[in-house]
Structure formats: C-alpha cells, structure tokens
Amino acid sequence: MARVLVLGASGYVGSHLIPRLVERGHEVRAAGRRPEALAGRGWEGVETVRADALDPESLAEAFEGIELVYYLIHSMASGKDFPELDRRAATHVRDAAATARVGRIIYLGGLQPREAASAHLDSRRETGEVLRSGSVPVTEIRAGIVVGPGSAAFEVIRDLVYHLPVMVTPRWVDSMTQPIALDDLIEFLLRLPETGGSGSRIHDVGGPEALRYRDLLTGFARVIGKRLLIVPVPVLTPRLSSYWLNLVTAVPASVARPLIDGLRHDLVIDPGGDLATSIPLSLHTYEEAVSAALEAEQDAEMPARWTEGSFALRDYRSDVSFYSRSERVERACEAEPETVWEVVSSIGGTNGWYYANPLWNLRGILDRMVGGVGRRRGRRHATRLRVGDAVDFWRVVAIEPGRRLTLLAEMRLPGTAILEFEVLPEPDGSRTVTAAYFHPAGALGLLYWYALWPVHKRIFAGLADAVVERSLDRMPARVRVVPHSS
C-alpha cells in the first residue's frame, strides 16, 4: 500500500476515487485550495491539506512523504486563459514531485483526435507532456466522456433530455465518442499502480461502445422513459451551440464552451493503447452506466454542509441540475462568534429576516397563492434550532452549532434553493459568510434565477449587514476612556 496524494480532490472523479483508495488500504492525503470544503465531505481516514497547483510554495507540505500522486486538475472553468493556467500548474507539480522524490504521477487526461484538436483537448495533451518532461515517471490515462454525476458532458445531457423533448441540434451530434462509466474509470485508476512497469506510459480508456453524440441523448432518454425528437441543423456550429446551451443547461459557460468546441472531433480509443488489454475489466455499456449513475444518486445521504451536486440538497430530483447558481457575501464583525451565532440561529419566525421583511412576507404570500407553505409555519422555538425544524418556508437540513446552519427551501420553485450561514472565528472578532445556492430545473429555473438575481443580490447583502449590526448591538457597551486633564 502507498502514501497517496490526490490533487483535484474536490472534483467529481477525485471525490469518488478517494473513498475507494481508502478501502484498498492506501494512506490518502486530499489536497485542495479550500481544505475546509474537503473536510466537510466526511471522508474517514483521509488527511486534508491546502495546496494550490498555481502556488508552488503551497505544494511542499502536500508532497512530503508521498509515493504516488493522482493529478486530476484542469483549469477549464477558469476562462479563456485556461491553457496557460494548466501549463503553469503542471510545471509546478512536476517540480514539486521531483523535489519530494515521488515514485509516480498518474494523470487523467482526455482522448485525443487524429486531426488538430480543440483548445481544451490540446491543453489536456500538453499537460501530460509537461508532466513527463520531469524526472518522475508519469502514467497518462486518456479517457472518453465520463458517465457520472458531475461530469460536465453528462450534466449537459441530463439537462437537455429532461427539459427539451424536441432538440434542434448541430452537426457535432454525429461525431463519434466512447463514453466510460465512472465506476469503470475509478477501477482503472485504482489498478494502475499494480500494473508494474517503469518509465512513462500513455493509455486510452473508454467503454465497450463507440457511439454518436445523438446516441448519448437518445440512450439517456430511454433510461428515464422519455420520448425525444432530434432535428439536426447543419448551420449550427459548435461555437453557436455552446451559446445556445447557456439558455437551457446550468453547466457553467466557462466549462460548456471549450467542451462543446471539442465535440466536432471523433474521440475513440486507439486499439494499440487500450488500457483494457493490460487491465481487463467487464465494462458497463452506456445505458448501464446512466442507470447506475442515477441509482447511485438516490442512495446519497444528507451532507454536513452544502456541496455542489449533492442529490439530497437537490430534493432528490434527477431533473434538477447538478450545478448551481450562487451568491456569496462575507462580512467581518467585531462581535465574538458566539454572539453572531445567537443572531444567525434566531432568524425567521417572529424574529423576522432582519432585512427587507416586507419582501420576505411578499414571497410567503406568493408561495401560498401557488399552493406552497408560505411563512405560516414560523419556528418551533424562537432561539434554538435542530435538524428537521421548519423556519418559515425553509427546513433545517444540517447544523453545526456555533458555526454553520444549512437551510433547504420548501417553497414552490423551478429548482431547489439552499441558504447557508457560516460563522468563523477571527483574531479581532469573527467573519460571517452568507451563501445562497440555486439548482435550476431547466430553462425556466435559469430564467427565474437571472430575473430575480438583482433583487436577491441586494437582499442577501442586506441580510449579511443586518446580522453584523444585530451582533454588535448585543455586545456589552464599550467602556469609553476619557483622557484626564491635568
């Protein structure tokens, strides 16, 4: 068994790989820019550390004593400069691994076309080249579309099929791809260290079927029992379709655009580099993989805090997007954390919402008009909360007393909403974080979010300010020192 470092631990592959590594007996260290978010996942026996591949000084501690590194990082969501960011990250990790005398790096890349690649695919290839230019051996796995919750391509397919019974599609729906089930990819990654061999290697991995992208859409529709009509339009280019997707899917535009740009290519495994020849597995078909992904979501437990894509916080609805739209407000406060927590945990009911109460009341009235619960439920207790309590049209789904409160909306919405308060200690008082997350259900949910975003932005900023003001009001009166005149 090895001491393993996972870079990109919060991603959809990393978050599934880590528990399986622990099951295999490995000593696992999960690295991320926000280790508190990793700690919130509840992984037992996993060390979490702060490490940012773009900050080389942060890597030394993460790499200390490590024998094997899984490199699952990509910067596609960072905007148009992602190739440069990917290049820098790979360079820093290459050098840190050499300094720490790591035994091997396993890098998860993407299948490459035979012709010139898109910027996204070209960056994935270049990342592998940068890593291999160092002294540490690198095993690069080039995977097809991963079929699992959180995979950008899978989430695009989910949003489209659930909410568009008729699709006007571009030419790229006839391109070929070789999707792989998330479970199969994880198994390949787990077995790679056992394959032996020295030096750097490149392998392709994909499922047992080469399919057209239209087959992915119709196959998903069959699994969930929906009818789907696809109407191809030759003039709709990948770039135009990436803009169109912004209107119907919640996958972030910064991810969807480079992803769609790459779909003009046929992406199938090279038989000469097929990893299945050295690690034979019984691979899942595409529709089996879709069924397994949707069933796995049903078994998800309520997390200790909001995490992207949590099925429980999407109200166990497969038609609600994995990805959220969000608003986050941070405020410094001179009051002690205990005082701020008293204010946070007393919100709602007869205590009100501290800011813009008439708007909260109006929202409750509108909810009642469409058959929702409105604000009539109030609170069980004016100052104390427990998991399961109602707070007007919210429900307490997670609570860490003195630190974090997570509320799930039970009002009528075209999606699901979460409101989370966090109170953090600071040397001169505390810091409060007010975060709202909305997981839309199709184009109607996206329209709802964007139409009300200016109002929500002002309300949540005002709410954060009001929490600070009320906390300061609860502080003991400060003793004012008056200079003594001689």
Side-chain angles (χ1 to χ4, degrees):
M1 298 301 103
R3 292 189 297 275
V4 179
L5 171 66
V6 179
L7 298 172
S10 61
Y12 74 96
V13 173
S15 60
H16 287 83
L17 174 64
I18 286 172
R20 299 281 296 279
L21 285 169
V22 174
E23 289 176 3
R24 297 287 176 100
H26 295 290
E27 185 179 332
V28 181
R29 183 179 296 161
R33 285 175 289 186
R34 297 179 60 234
E36 66 275 11
L38 296 177
R41 292 183 177 270
W43 292 321
E44 294 186 7
V46 176
E47 179 188 1
T48 57
V49 297
R50 182 193 175 276
D52 182 352
L54 296 175
D55 176 13
E57 294 183 359
S58 72
L59 297 178
E61 180 182 354
F63 276 78
E64 185 177 354
I66 292 298
E67 301 168 90
L68 173 67
V69 174
Y70 282 94
Y71 188 94
L72 309 176
I73 298 171
H74 64 79
S75 304
M76 192 167 62
S78 301
K80 62 182 180 180
D81 295 331
F82 72 87
E84 172 59 24
L85 297 178
D86 277 339
R87 191 177 306 117
R88 285 166 48 196
T91 300
H92 296 156
V93 169
R94 176 200 67 192
D95 295 344
T99 301
R101 299 183 180 276
V102 169
R104 179 167 294 276
I105 298 172
I106 296 177
Y107 163 57
L108 177 60
L111 288 176
Q112 294 293 312
R114 292 182 174 86
E115 67 273 20
S118 67
H120 161 53
L121 294 173
D122 194 53
S123 179
R124 303 292 274 177
R125 176 193 54 76
E126 185 186 19
T127 295
E129 293 175 351
V130 171
L131 292 172
R132 285 191 295 275
S133 67
S135 59
V136 177
V138 177
T139 300
E140 179 179 348
I141 303 302
R142 294 178 172 177
I145 287 176
V146 181
V147 184
S151 161
F154 180 80
E155 296 306 333
V156 166
I157 292 168
R158 181 208 298 265
D159 287 353
L160 290 176
V161 174
Y162 267 108
H163 302 290
L164 289 179
V166 178
M167 295 187 201
V168 178
T169 57
R171 288 173 294 182
W172 54 257
V173 296
D174 287 324
S175 296
M176 301 295 294
T177 185
Q178 201 153 349
I180 182 170
L182 175 61
D183 284 346
D184 292 341
L185 176 61
I186 296 296
E187 190 62 27
F188 277 125
L189 291 172
L190 289 169
R191 293 196 189 185
L192 271 173
E194 305 166 3
T195 58
S198 59
S200 293
R201 307 186 291 275
I202 299 175
H203 299 288
D204 287 357
V205 293
E209 306 161 294
L211 304 170
R212 300 188 185 278
Y213 287 103
R214 66 163 65 237
D215 300 326
L216 304 188
L217 295 166
T218 56
F220 193 108
R222 277 193 298 271
V223 169
I224 65 172
K226 291 182 70 72
R227 296 178 62 86
L228 179 65
L229 176 62
I230 295 179
V231 181
V233 177
V235 296
L236 193 58
T237 66
R239 178 51 60 93
L240 287 175
S241 61
S242 70
Y243 294 120
W244 170 75
L245 282 177
N246 290 342
L247 304 176
V248 294
T249 175
V251 176
S254 57
V255 174
R257 286 175 187 169
L259 176 70
I260 296 299
D261 280 345
L263 299 187
R264 71 186 71 185
H265 307 290
D266 288 336
L267 299 175
V268 296
I269 62 176
D270 178 357
D274 187 357
L275 184 59
T277 59
S278 56
I279 304 179
L281 295 179
S282 178
L283 299 173
H284 294 81
T285 67
Y286 171 68
E287 291 189 23
E288 289 172 345
V290 171
S291 296
L294 297 178
E295 289 172 7
E297 286 187 323
Q298 297 289 341
D299 296 330
E301 297 180 355
M302 186 67 69
R305 59 172 297 170
W306 177 87
T307 55
E308 187 81 271
S310 167
F311 197 55
L313 293 179
R314 285 153 53 207
D315 202 23
Y316 300 97
R317 290 175 54 187
S318 294
D319 64 315
V320 170
S321 175
F322 179 97
Y323 292 100
S324 68
R325 297 293 186 264
S326 64
E327 183 66 30
R328 179 184 174 94
V329 183
E330 295 193 25
R331 294 288 187 267
C333 182
E334 295 179 20
E336 294 298 315
E338 295 81 6
T339 303
V340 180
W341 178 254
E342 290 176 3
V343 174
V344 167
S345 60
S346 300
I347 201 165
T350 57
N351 298 322
W353 286 83
Y354 305 157
Y355 178 81
N357 255 311
L359 292 180
W360 290 95
N361 291 332
L362 176 61
R363 185 64 182 88
I365 292 170
L366 294 175
D367 191 51
R368 290 285 301 276
M369 291 174 63
V370 295
V373 296
R375 290 194 61 189
R376 59 183 171 178
R377 299 184 306 187
R379 294 174 52 114
R380 175 187 60 86
H381 190 279
T383 59
R384 293 198 293 269
L385 289 175
R386 63 190 181 191
V387 171
D389 276 357
V391 181
D392 297 329
F393 37 55
W394 302 88
R395 179 75 62 183
V396 178
V397 293
I399 187 168
E400 185 180 339
R403 183 178 178 90
R404 185 180 296 111
L405 171 65
T406 305
L407 304 174
L408 175 65
E410 293 188 329
M411 65 193 83
R412 294 297 181 90
L413 290 169
T416 63
I418 299 92
L419 181 60
E420 191 165 72
F421 300 91
E422 191 169 11
V423 182
L424 303 172
E426 294 284 344
D428 54 354
S430 58
R431 178 164 52 94
T432 67
V433 180
T434 304
Y437 306 95
F438 181 70
H439 291 266
L444 182 60
L446 288 167
L447 177 62
Y448 172 87
W449 171 260
Y450 288 122
L452 293 180
W453 178 76
V455 177
H456 287 156
K457 185 177 180 66
R458 181 59 259 170
I459 287 176
F460 294 127
L463 175 57
D465 291 334
V467 167
V468 170
E469 291 172 8
R470 289 185 177 233
S471 301
L472 293 175
D473 289 342
R474 295 190 181 201
M475 291 179 64
R478 296 189 179 101
V479 177
R480 183 180 178 190
V481 178
V482 180
H484 178 70
S485 58
S486 56

